[in-house]
Amino acid sequence: LYTNAERVVADARAIIVPTQLLISGSDWVVRHGPQHRFYENLAHPLKERHVLKGFYHDTLGEKERAIAVAHARR
């Protein structure tokens, strides 16, 4: 899994569709650095990155998930 995740980050330039990334700001399961590198490597000019402060690993299952959903609907 770790090796494949490294490959996805490294090959993000191959993704040529608009992309929206929701990052849980307090997630201690998934490291933030690779998520930011993935976003920066995306080739498509239409991309969004939202860091949701106070969110943990289950972004869309959080108590305040309406905040994440609102970002996703923009």
Side-chain angles (χ1 to χ4, degrees):
L1 183 62
Y2 184 79
T3 301
N4 288 333
E6 286 180 329
R7 182 173 172 234
V8 168
V9 171
D11 292 343
R13 289 228 174 274
I15 298 173
I16 55 170
V17 297
T19 304
Q20 183 181 61
L21 191 61
L22 301 175
I23 299 173
S24 291
S26 297
D27 191 344
W28 51 270
V29 177
V30 178
R31 295 184 331 214
H32 294 191
Q35 295 178 73
H36 292 288
R37 282 194 302 281
F38 171 78
Y39 175 81
E40 291 159 6
N41 290 339
L42 289 169
H44 199 283
L46 184 56
K47 59 186 182 179
E48 296 179 0
R49 170 176 41 189
H50 303 280
V51 178
L52 305 167
K53 295 182 182 197
F55 277 67
Y56 296 96
H57 189 66
D58 186 11
T59 307
L60 297 177
E62 297 281 345
K63 180 179 178 183
E64 301 294 330
R65 67 183 160 268
I67 296 168
V69 171
H71 282 289
R73 289 185 178 161
R74 287 186 187 174

